[in-house]
Amino acid sequence: MSDKAKQSKQPNQQNEGNTPNDETNIDSNSAKINPPAADTVEPPKRNVKAIISLVLSIGSLFISFFEFFIGIPMAIIALVSGILSLREIKTTQEVGRKMAIAGIIISILSILTPFLLAALVFYLYMNIGG
């Protein structure tokens, strides 16, 4: 017998295992290898430092009106975390750039607020009360 005849009479040993000819393996493995597209889509990640920057800066803005000894350090932490988050967002392509910028702006206002209030009080004292 020729080699071709031997191969046709013998069961195909090359198709054992995970090959396209074995339909059960295709169905069971295709779900593992290629999951549906709806399951693979993930929402973009938000940068945690940007969220921290925004929350701390808003908190420090309110606190700096009354206790600037607490508000200014909070604003400095918010400013630093906002700057670090902008750098991190450039490399990781995360969401949160606008939050980081808002945190930086509000934290700068929080740092300046006590000084502006002190200057206003001094001006009013010198012109009206003094």
Side-chain angles (χ1 to χ4, degrees):
M1 279 170 94
S2 68
D3 289 331
K4 291 181 182 179
K6 286 180 184 178
Q7 288 177 356
S8 64
K9 287 185 179 181
Q10 294 177 350
N12 194 356
Q13 293 176 353
Q14 293 176 347
N15 287 336
E16 290 179 8
N18 297 333
T19 60
N21 292 337
D22 192 5
E23 292 180 20
T24 58
N25 285 338
I26 291 172
D27 293 337
S28 64
N29 289 334
S30 66
K32 294 176 186 174
I33 296 171
N34 299 325
D39 291 342
T40 59
V41 177
E42 294 180 8
K45 291 176 64 177
R46 293 198 184 273
N47 191 293
V48 176
K49 290 178 187 162
I51 296 170
I52 291 171
S53 173
L54 185 62
V55 169
L56 282 178
S57 64
I58 291 172
S60 68
L61 183 63
F62 290 117
I63 292 173
S64 65
F65 280 110
F66 307 108
E67 286 289 331
F68 65 93
F69 291 115
I70 298 172
I72 290 179
M74 279 178 64
I76 291 171
I77 293 170
L79 181 66
V80 170
S81 65
I83 292 170
L84 290 176
S85 69
L86 281 179
R87 288 184 183 175
E88 193 173 289
I89 287 169
K90 281 184 184 177
T91 59
T92 61
Q93 301 298 321
E94 292 177 329
V95 177
R97 186 174 192 282
K98 292 178 182 178
M99 282 192 293
I101 292 171
I104 290 170
I105 292 170
I106 296 171
S107 65
I108 291 171
L109 290 174
S110 299
I111 293 170
L112 294 177
T113 297
F115 299 111
L116 294 174
L117 286 175
L120 179 66
V121 168
F122 181 75
Y123 175 78
L124 291 175
Y125 177 76
M126 294 302 285
N127 289 329
I128 297 174

